[in-house]
Amino acid sequence: SAGSQEAHSEVWQGLQGLCLPRKNPLRQRGNMVAIPGGEFTMGTDEPEIRQDGEWPARRVRVNGFYMDRHEVSNEEFERFVNATGYLTEAEKFGDSFVFEGMLSEEVKSEIHQAVAAAPWWLPVKGANWKHPEGPDSNIVSRMDHPVLHVSWNDAVAFCTWAGKRLPTEAEWEYSCRGGLENRLFPWGNKLQPKGQHYANIWQGVFPSNNTAEDGYKGTAPVTAFPPNGYGLYNIVGNAWEWTSDWWAVHHSAEEAHNPKGPASGTDKVKKGGSYMCHKSYCYRYRCAARSQNTPDSSASNLGFRCAADALPDLQ
Ligand SMILES: [Ca+2]
Ligand SMILES: [Ca+2]
């Protein structure tokens, strides 16, 4: 699988580092990219979704750091679970939220409750990272796809084990922008330059008809689609990504240095949107866009990637 090829290439890069000159040894190792420190405009003065607190635009300075090149994959998460015996919160609770459109008729027929404001989300017994659509599903053919059904607490546990941490919202948004200023998307302002798809989102009519014109009805492999200017894949679309910040919708317009969000809160910030996002109801596959969930929440479109201040030892 692509996942195991990647593992091999990580080992190979590690070996190369010992005896052979590499093209750019400081730029990358394993699956992390060096993000240069700098200043950028966080948020926007032209918010598309005001109530999410996408505004005001403010100048933010971040120190250099490292960012995972792609969302944490099932293969990577499995390595963590195999090494630690870690049990995710969805596994402990016994259920997780799954998008109705991905469920079998059999699983659907057993569910009698839904979220009033979003009836396409169903709590599915036995849904977790190994069984993303419930007990009759598995990840065997999706080891290189993003791990799903991981809570914020699970994401922190993984990143800590890997010698990393979650990115702050500022670091995530700075990474998303890939060196461009004030653009909607990681690659610019046009959703589909030259008619090409740059992210895994929803085409068609949400939630009834997913044409999968971009090639994917659900998640895509973590390195599908072109990377942004910093070499990051699927930073918008595919799976939502947890950040370390608590959620708030009011922000100071003052310039800030390495902001870390409010000191406390009830929800954590997630960024980037997912394969379920369509402009008509979830125009959140933009770098300034944001949303939130409680730290113990999990769902079939929510994952993460890690950041680090220094490159961790290879796992
Ligand atoms: Ca898609
Ligand atoms: Ca993503």
Side-chain angles (χ1 to χ4, degrees):
S1 74
S4 63
Q5 275 169 15
E6 191 177 275
H8 285 295
S9 97
E10 273 183 36
V11 170
W12 174 236
Q13 284 184 10
L15 292 172
Q16 278 185 310
L18 295 174
C19 48
L20 296 167
R22 278 185 298 164
K23 225 163 108 190
N24 206 347
L26 293 178
R27 279 281 299 170
Q28 64 181 70
R29 190 168 82 196
N31 69 350
M32 295 200 100
V33 180
I35 308 290
E39 222 180 274
F40 78 112
T41 303
M42 186 169 174
T44 173
D45 282 331
E46 296 169 90
E48 298 283 346
I49 308 176
R50 277 190 89 78
Q51 67 270 24
D52 283 353
E54 297 174 356
W55 60 287
R58 59 256 187 218
R59 292 300 285 174
V60 166
R61 196 150 49 91
V62 293
N63 294 351
F65 60 100
Y66 294 87
M67 189 75 157
D68 280 352
R69 191 180 297 281
H70 51 70
E71 297 148 336
V72 172
S73 67
N74 283 318
E75 192 259 339
E76 291 170 311
F77 200 79
E78 185 181 69
R79 248 187 282 159
F80 158 62
V81 168
N82 286 346
T84 60
Y86 185 84
L87 207 58
T88 61
E89 293 200 282
E91 288 167 287
K92 286 185 213 161
F93 296 147
D95 63 12
S96 187
F97 281 100
V98 183
F99 172 54
E100 185 192 12
M102 309 299 281
L103 290 174
S104 67
E105 289 305 318
E106 199 179 330
V107 168
K108 257 192 283 186
S109 70
E110 288 162 12
I111 301 166
H112 305 290
Q113 55 181 130
V115 182
W120 47 85
W121 281 117
L122 297 178
V124 175
K125 282 199 178 66
N128 59 51
W129 73 277
K130 282 183 280 193
H131 305 286
E133 295 84 34
D136 62 352
S137 66
N138 66 61
I139 53 171
V140 172
S141 65
R142 291 180 275 180
M143 293 310 284
D144 57 349
H145 287 223
V147 63
L148 305 171
H149 297 293
V150 280
S151 68
W152 184 88
N153 296 312
D154 299 332
V156 168
F158 175 96
C159 292
T160 304
W161 170 77
K164 306 177 186 179
R165 58 176 173 78
L166 282 178
T168 65
E169 182 180 7
E171 287 171 335
W172 191 100
E173 189 168 325
Y174 181 68
S175 300
C176 182
R177 294 179 180 281
L180 302 176
E181 265 288 313
N182 285 317
R183 299 298 201 281
L184 288 171
F185 310 116
W187 54 87
N189 277 332
K190 212 174 154 198
L191 180 60
Q192 288 182 248
K194 295 187 178 133
Q196 295 297 301
H197 289 282
Y198 276 71
N200 181 15
I201 55 175
W202 183 291
Q203 294 88 36
V205 180
F206 187 86
S208 57
N209 181 30
N210 184 350
T211 65
E213 194 191 284
D214 58 21
Y216 302 95
K217 198 172 176 204
T219 54
V222 294
T223 54
F225 301 97
N228 76 358
Y230 288 150
L232 304 173
Y233 292 87
N234 292 300
I235 188 91
V236 298
N238 214 25
W240 278 101
E241 299 174 24
W242 290 111
T243 74
S244 58
D245 291 27
W246 289 108
W247 171 261
V249 292
H250 299 290
H251 315 289
S252 164
E254 297 281 296
E255 183 167 339
H257 185 201
N258 288 330
K260 290 178 164 52
S264 62
T266 56
D267 287 11
K268 289 289 183 179
V269 176
K270 62 179 182 179
K271 297 282 277 186
S274 79
Y275 66 87
M276 286 175 58
C277 279
H278 185 274
K279 190 170 183 180
S280 65
Y281 93 108
C282 173
Y283 188 26
R284 294 192 176 90
Y285 41 91
R286 294 170 292 112
C287 294
R290 53 207 300 275
S291 190
Q292 90 274 28
N293 280 109
T294 58
D296 60 356
S297 297
S298 62
S300 60
N301 66 346
L302 178 48
F304 67 105
R305 78 180 70 207
C306 310
D309 296 314
L311 282 174
D313 296 331
L314 287 174
Q315 293 288 339

